[in-house]
Amino acid sequence: LVVSGTRRKCVQFLLLQLSGEDLSLGTCLLIMDVLADAARDLSNHQSGVATATASAKQVACGSETTSSKTRRFASATRYPTSQPNLFSSEMRYFLLPLVAWSQAARLGKDTSVIGSLLRCLGTLLECGGMACPDRDVAATACLDLVENFWCHHEPHVRRCSMFLLSRILLVGGDELIQSRPALLELIDRTSVCE
Protein backbone atom coordinates (compact mmCIF):
# COMPACT_ATOMS: atom_id res chain seq x y z
CA LEU A 1 0.00 0.00 0.00
CA VAL A 2 2.91 2.35 0.49
CA VAL A 3 3.94 2.42 -3.16
CA SER A 4 2.76 5.83 -4.29
CA GLY A 5 1.46 4.83 -7.72
CA THR A 6 -0.86 2.07 -6.49
CA ARG A 7 -1.88 3.45 -3.10
CA ARG A 8 -5.31 4.76 -4.08
CA LYS A 9 -6.06 1.72 -6.22
CA CYS A 10 -5.29 -0.60 -3.31
CA VAL A 11 -7.53 1.38 -0.96
CA GLN A 12 -10.32 1.39 -3.54
CA PHE A 13 -9.94 -2.37 -3.96
CA LEU A 14 -10.08 -2.97 -0.19
CA LEU A 15 -13.13 -0.76 0.21
CA LEU A 16 -14.81 -2.52 -2.71
CA GLN A 17 -14.12 -5.86 -1.02
CA LEU A 18 -15.55 -4.44 2.21
CA SER A 19 -18.86 -3.74 0.53
CA GLY A 20 -19.10 -7.23 -0.94
CA GLU A 21 -22.15 -9.38 -0.19
CA ASP A 22 -20.35 -12.56 0.90
CA LEU A 23 -17.86 -10.89 3.26
CA SER A 24 -17.04 -12.79 6.42
CA LEU A 25 -16.68 -11.05 9.77
CA GLY A 26 -12.98 -11.89 9.99
CA THR A 27 -12.28 -10.44 6.55
CA CYS A 28 -14.15 -7.27 7.40
CA LEU A 29 -12.11 -6.78 10.60
CA LEU A 30 -8.90 -7.61 8.75
CA ILE A 31 -9.57 -4.99 6.05
CA MET A 32 -10.07 -2.30 8.69
CA ASP A 33 -6.85 -3.34 10.43
CA VAL A 34 -4.98 -3.20 7.10
CA LEU A 35 -6.31 0.32 6.42
CA ALA A 36 -5.21 1.48 9.89
CA ASP A 37 -1.76 -0.12 9.51
CA ALA A 38 -1.30 1.47 6.09
CA ALA A 39 -2.18 4.86 7.57
CA ARG A 40 0.42 4.37 10.32
CA ASP A 41 3.06 3.39 7.77
CA LEU A 42 2.33 6.33 5.49
CA SER A 43 2.31 8.82 8.34
CA ASN A 44 5.53 7.48 9.86
CA HIS A 45 3.54 7.18 13.09
CA GLN A 46 5.03 5.03 15.82
CA SER A 47 3.09 3.75 18.77
CA GLY A 48 4.09 4.86 22.26
CA VAL A 49 5.65 1.46 23.03
CA ALA A 50 7.81 1.52 19.90
CA THR A 51 8.96 5.06 20.64
CA ALA A 52 9.82 4.22 24.25
CA THR A 53 11.70 1.09 23.19
CA ALA A 54 13.68 3.01 20.58
CA SER A 55 14.56 5.70 23.13
CA ALA A 56 15.68 3.10 25.67
CA LYS A 57 17.87 1.34 23.09
CA GLN A 58 19.39 4.64 22.02
CA VAL A 59 20.25 5.62 25.60
CA ALA A 60 21.60 2.15 26.41
CA CYS A 61 23.81 2.09 23.34
CA GLY A 62 24.93 5.67 23.65
CA SER A 63 26.08 5.71 27.27
CA GLU A 64 29.26 4.35 28.70
CA THR A 65 30.06 3.94 32.40
CA THR A 66 33.64 4.40 33.63
CA SER A 67 34.30 4.37 37.38
CA SER A 68 31.07 6.03 38.56
CA LYS A 69 31.11 8.58 35.76
CA THR A 70 28.66 8.45 32.92
CA ARG A 71 29.71 9.73 29.56
CA ARG A 72 27.15 10.16 26.84
CA PHE A 73 27.97 10.33 23.21
CA ALA A 74 26.53 13.11 21.10
CA SER A 75 24.40 10.62 19.19
CA ALA A 76 22.46 9.78 22.38
CA THR A 77 20.97 13.26 22.55
CA ARG A 78 20.46 13.80 18.86
CA TYR A 79 16.86 14.21 17.83
CA PRO A 80 15.56 11.87 15.16
CA THR A 81 15.08 13.45 11.79
CA SER A 82 11.50 14.24 10.98
CA GLN A 83 9.94 12.47 8.05
CA PRO A 84 7.07 13.71 5.92
CA ASN A 85 3.52 12.59 6.65
CA LEU A 86 2.46 11.05 3.35
CA PHE A 87 -0.90 10.06 4.78
CA SER A 88 -2.07 13.60 5.45
CA SER A 89 -2.83 14.27 1.81
CA GLU A 90 -4.28 10.78 1.28
CA MET A 91 -6.65 10.62 4.26
CA ARG A 92 -9.75 11.52 2.23
CA TYR A 93 -9.31 8.38 0.10
CA PHE A 94 -9.23 6.19 3.21
CA LEU A 95 -11.63 7.81 5.66
CA LEU A 96 -14.49 9.29 3.66
CA PRO A 97 -15.34 6.10 1.69
CA LEU A 98 -15.16 4.13 4.94
CA VAL A 99 -17.66 6.52 6.57
CA ALA A 100 -19.89 6.27 3.49
CA TRP A 101 -19.69 2.46 3.70
CA SER A 102 -20.70 2.54 7.36
CA GLN A 103 -23.77 4.62 6.55
CA ALA A 104 -24.78 2.44 3.60
CA ALA A 105 -24.05 -0.88 5.32
CA ARG A 106 -26.49 -0.33 8.18
CA LEU A 107 -24.08 -1.90 10.64
CA GLY A 108 -26.84 -3.39 12.75
CA LYS A 109 -26.08 -5.46 15.82
CA ASP A 110 -22.57 -6.62 15.02
CA THR A 111 -20.70 -4.80 17.79
CA SER A 112 -17.25 -6.06 16.81
CA VAL A 113 -17.57 -4.48 13.36
CA ILE A 114 -18.87 -1.21 14.83
CA GLY A 115 -16.04 -1.09 17.37
CA SER A 116 -13.42 -1.92 14.77
CA LEU A 117 -14.82 0.75 12.45
CA LEU A 118 -14.70 3.43 15.16
CA ARG A 119 -11.14 2.47 16.16
CA CYS A 120 -10.02 2.46 12.52
CA LEU A 121 -11.52 5.90 11.91
CA GLY A 122 -9.84 7.22 15.07
CA THR A 123 -6.48 5.87 13.91
CA LEU A 124 -6.95 7.38 10.45
CA LEU A 125 -7.73 10.79 11.98
CA GLU A 126 -4.73 10.58 14.29
CA CYS A 127 -2.40 9.63 11.44
CA GLY A 128 -3.77 12.44 9.27
CA GLY A 129 -2.83 14.93 11.97
CA MET A 130 -3.65 18.56 12.53
CA ALA A 131 -2.15 19.72 9.23
CA CYS A 132 -4.37 17.51 7.08
CA PRO A 133 -6.23 19.58 4.47
CA ASP A 134 -9.38 17.45 4.91
CA ARG A 135 -9.31 17.44 8.71
CA ASP A 136 -12.56 19.36 9.24
CA VAL A 137 -14.55 17.36 6.69
CA ALA A 138 -13.28 14.09 8.14
CA ALA A 139 -13.87 15.17 11.74
CA THR A 140 -17.42 16.26 10.93
CA ALA A 141 -18.17 12.89 9.32
CA CYS A 142 -16.73 11.12 12.35
CA LEU A 143 -18.72 13.28 14.78
CA ASP A 144 -21.91 11.96 13.20
CA LEU A 145 -20.81 8.42 14.06
CA VAL A 146 -19.84 9.46 17.59
CA GLU A 147 -23.33 10.86 18.08
CA ASN A 148 -24.93 7.68 16.71
CA PHE A 149 -22.96 5.28 18.92
CA TRP A 150 -22.36 7.31 22.10
CA CYS A 151 -25.29 5.70 23.96
CA HIS A 152 -24.97 2.23 22.43
CA HIS A 153 -26.05 -0.64 24.69
CA GLU A 154 -22.67 -2.39 24.32
CA PRO A 155 -19.83 -0.97 26.49
CA HIS A 156 -17.18 -1.85 23.88
CA VAL A 157 -18.89 0.32 21.27
CA ARG A 158 -19.24 3.20 23.76
CA ARG A 159 -15.52 3.00 24.56
CA CYS A 160 -14.64 3.00 20.86
CA SER A 161 -16.92 6.01 20.38
CA MET A 162 -15.03 7.79 23.17
CA PHE A 163 -11.75 6.88 21.48
CA LEU A 164 -12.94 8.39 18.22
CA LEU A 165 -14.05 11.54 20.05
CA SER A 166 -10.61 11.79 21.68
CA ARG A 167 -8.91 11.54 18.27
CA ILE A 168 -11.18 14.32 16.95
CA LEU A 169 -10.03 16.47 19.86
CA LEU A 170 -6.41 15.45 19.25
CA VAL A 171 -6.43 16.73 15.68
CA GLY A 172 -7.98 20.05 16.69
CA GLY A 173 -11.67 19.45 16.16
CA ASP A 174 -12.73 21.08 19.43
CA GLU A 175 -14.56 23.91 17.65
CA LEU A 176 -16.54 21.37 15.64
CA ILE A 177 -17.60 19.65 18.86
CA GLN A 178 -18.55 22.96 20.49
CA SER A 179 -20.73 23.79 17.49
CA ARG A 180 -22.93 20.75 18.28
CA PRO A 181 -24.91 21.52 21.43
CA ALA A 182 -26.86 18.25 21.18
CA LEU A 183 -23.63 16.24 21.32
CA LEU A 184 -22.31 18.30 24.23
CA GLU A 185 -25.53 17.74 26.13
CA LEU A 186 -25.36 14.02 25.36
CA ILE A 187 -21.79 13.86 26.66
CA ASP A 188 -22.78 15.86 29.75
CA ARG A 189 -25.77 13.62 30.48
CA THR A 190 -23.91 10.37 30.07
CA SER A 191 -21.92 9.16 33.02
CA VAL A 192 -18.45 8.20 31.86
CA CYS A 193 -17.51 5.34 34.14
CA GLU A 194 -16.26 2.87 31.58
Side-chain angles (χ1 to χ4, degrees), residues 89-143:
S89 63
E90 300 286 327
M91 185 174 72
R92 80 181 83 155
Y93 303 108
F94 284 69
L95 191 135
L96 297 178
L98 195 56
V99 170
W101 169 80
S102 72
Q103 293 168 347
R106 305 208 194 310
L107 296 173
K109 297 179 180 182
D110 200 352
T111 57
S112 59
V113 173
I114 296 170
S116 182
L117 170 73
L118 295 173
R119 277 193 323 269
C120 179
L121 292 172
T123 303
L124 295 177
L125 271 176
E126 181 180 1
C127 291
M130 293 182 82
C132 179
D134 300 311
R135 178 193 69 177
D136 291 339
V137 173
T140 302
C142 289
L143 274 175

Side-chain angles (χ1 to χ4, degrees), residues 57-176:
K57 285 181 183 176
Q58 188 177 20
V59 169
C61 293
S63 64
E64 178 182 303
T65 307
T66 54
S67 68
S68 78
K69 292 184 181 180
T70 301
R71 191 174 101 199
R72 295 186 188 260
F73 298 109
S75 63
T77 57
R78 189 175 301 153
Y79 295 105
T81 59
S82 65
Q83 297 183 2
N85 184 349
L86 299 175
F87 182 70
S88 184
S89 63
E90 300 286 327
M91 185 174 72
R92 80 181 83 155
Y93 303 108
F94 284 69
L95 191 135
L96 297 178
L98 195 56
V99 170
W101 169 80
S102 72
Q103 293 168 347
R106 305 208 194 310
L107 296 173
K109 297 179 180 182
D110 200 352
T111 57
S112 59
V113 173
I114 296 170
S116 182
L117 170 73
L118 295 173
R119 277 193 323 269
C120 179
L121 292 172
T123 303
L124 295 177
L125 271 176
E126 181 180 1
C127 291
M130 293 182 82
C132 179
D134 300 311
R135 178 193 69 177
D136 291 339
V137 173
T140 302
C142 289
L143 274 175
D144 293 338
L145 290 172
V146 168
E147 271 186 280
N148 289 342
F149 296 114
W150 187 263
C151 292
H152 197 272
H153 67 277
E154 188 69 31
H156 172 69
V157 174
R158 290 193 305 265
R159 276 188 229 111
C160 291
S161 186
M162 288 180 209
F163 172 74
L164 181 56
L165 183 66
S166 72
R167 300 303 97 177
I168 293 169
L169 286 169
L170 181 74
V171 298
D174 49 345
E175 291 177 6
L176 295 171

